[in-house]
Amino acid sequence: MGEHAPAEAQPRVFHGQVALVTGASSGIGAATARTLAARGAVVAVNYHRGETMAKEVVESIETAGGRALALQADVTDRDQVKDLVERAQTELGPVEILVTNATGLYGFDVKVAPFIGTSVEYTEWIVQRQLRAVLNPIDLILPGMIDRGHGSIVAVGAALSRTPAPGFLPLSMAKASVEAAVKVLAQEAGPYGVRVNGVGPGLIITRVAEGLPEQVLRANAQRASVRRNGLPQDVAEVIAFLAADPAGYLTGSYLLIDGGTALV
């Protein structure tokens, strides 16, 4: 099962609910968009630069009998997110499921280096981009969910929020902010029928990870209790579970999806 493996024979639990997945042109976002669509959701596939790939995701969903729409926006830009939400809701209907998968980094060179020698400004920049990527869509979609008394938000962070590593201070802080937001928002939105959960993927084999040295991939697979590296579909399945109404008593959770790596 590779990055683009189809989600087949899945229960159609979403019954036409509209889902918006940010950063959905490839990797975890693309797998999530396909999985939600396979389970009956109508999906807005957000992308920043990957128009061709986003349209391929939409085409794969439509070929499988689903409905999807590719929508461009930089989710760190509030005005663009406002336009994104308006287009999604005009074309597809009120957004009932939001998956904030985009990091806001968009392929920028993320340094892996000790804090000493790394500017505070750089760390602030990484955290700020992540916060905007998560909070801009939530800020513009959550009020509508509250008004309707129903909705589900799943924020994608990373296992780095729980299992930090040397050289990853900016990313660890950024991902920890996602986990904190999930817990607070779950408390604030819960009384109005809206659930907020999060996932913290470990090393997942996406296009970015495929560029890592082979010895790094092998070592991570050996550290994992399941003795393999994660795939985008592994994360998409958990996101789909959290987003669905059968998980209606689950909110404020932040699930590590790392194959048991954090256990050792």
Side-chain angles (χ1 to χ4, degrees):
M1 179 171 61
E3 180 180 342
H4 302 297
E8 299 177 347
Q10 299 188 32
R12 298 180 67 82
V13 295
F14 294 115
H15 307 295
Q17 290 174 277
V18 175
L20 169 59
V21 183
T22 67
S25 62
S26 65
I28 292 170
T32 299
R34 292 189 180 98
T35 301
L36 295 177
R39 296 187 180 183
V42 177
V43 185
V45 177
N46 162 249
Y47 68 95
H48 180 229
R49 297 175 179 170
E51 180 179 9
T52 298
M53 292 187 295
K55 289 182 176 179
E56 289 173 354
V57 173
V58 170
E59 182 179 356
S60 69
I61 289 172
E62 293 177 340
T63 299
R67 184 183 175 201
L69 178 67
L71 295 171
Q72 193 278 335
D74 175 354
V75 292
T76 68
D77 185 311
R78 182 178 174 82
D79 289 338
Q80 291 191 37
V81 177
K82 183 177 180 181
D83 182 57
L84 166 67
V85 174
E86 289 176 351
R87 285 182 291 158
Q89 299 197 138
T90 298
E91 296 287 334
L92 304 176
V95 175
E96 299 177 80
I97 300 164
L98 171 63
V99 180
T100 61
N101 172 69
T103 64
L105 300 178
Y106 302 126
F108 291 121
D109 184 24
V110 177
K111 302 173 186 176
V112 179
F115 173 68
I116 300 300
T118 300
S119 70
V120 173
E121 290 76 15
Y122 172 76
T123 299
E124 289 176 336
W125 181 81
I126 293 290
V127 175
Q128 180 190 77
R129 298 286 294 188
Q130 177 72 81
L131 284 173
R132 289 181 177 178
V134 171
L135 295 182
N136 277 339
I138 293 176
D139 186 38
L140 289 164
I141 289 174
L142 179 57
M145 291 180 170
I146 289 174
D147 287 344
R148 293 186 297 274
H150 182 268
S152 180
I153 297 171
V154 182
V156 180
L160 282 169
S161 65
R162 298 273 187 89
T163 55
F168 286 90
L169 176 64
L171 283 176
S172 293
M173 290 183 67
K175 302 307 178 181
S177 73
V178 176
E179 181 172 3
V182 163
K183 294 182 182 303
V184 173
L185 290 171
Q187 291 178 310
E188 293 182 356
Y192 301 98
V194 181
R195 298 183 299 109
V196 184
N197 291 287
V199 294
L203 196 160
I204 305 297
I205 303 301
T206 62
R207 286 184 173 84
V208 174
E210 287 170 354
L212 294 173
E214 183 61 31
Q215 60 267 30
V216 172
L217 298 177
R218 285 200 304 267
N220 187 79
Q222 280 302 112
R223 286 180 58 222
S225 299
V226 297
R227 296 298 188 268
R228 68 172 177 87
N229 289 310
L231 299 171
Q233 191 64 35
D234 292 319
V235 183
E237 294 290 347
V238 179
I239 292 173
F241 162 72
L242 290 171
D245 287 343
Y249 201 57
L250 186 58
T251 193
S253 68
Y254 187 83
L255 304 181
L256 293 190
I257 310 172
D258 66 350
T261 304
L263 299 175
V264 296

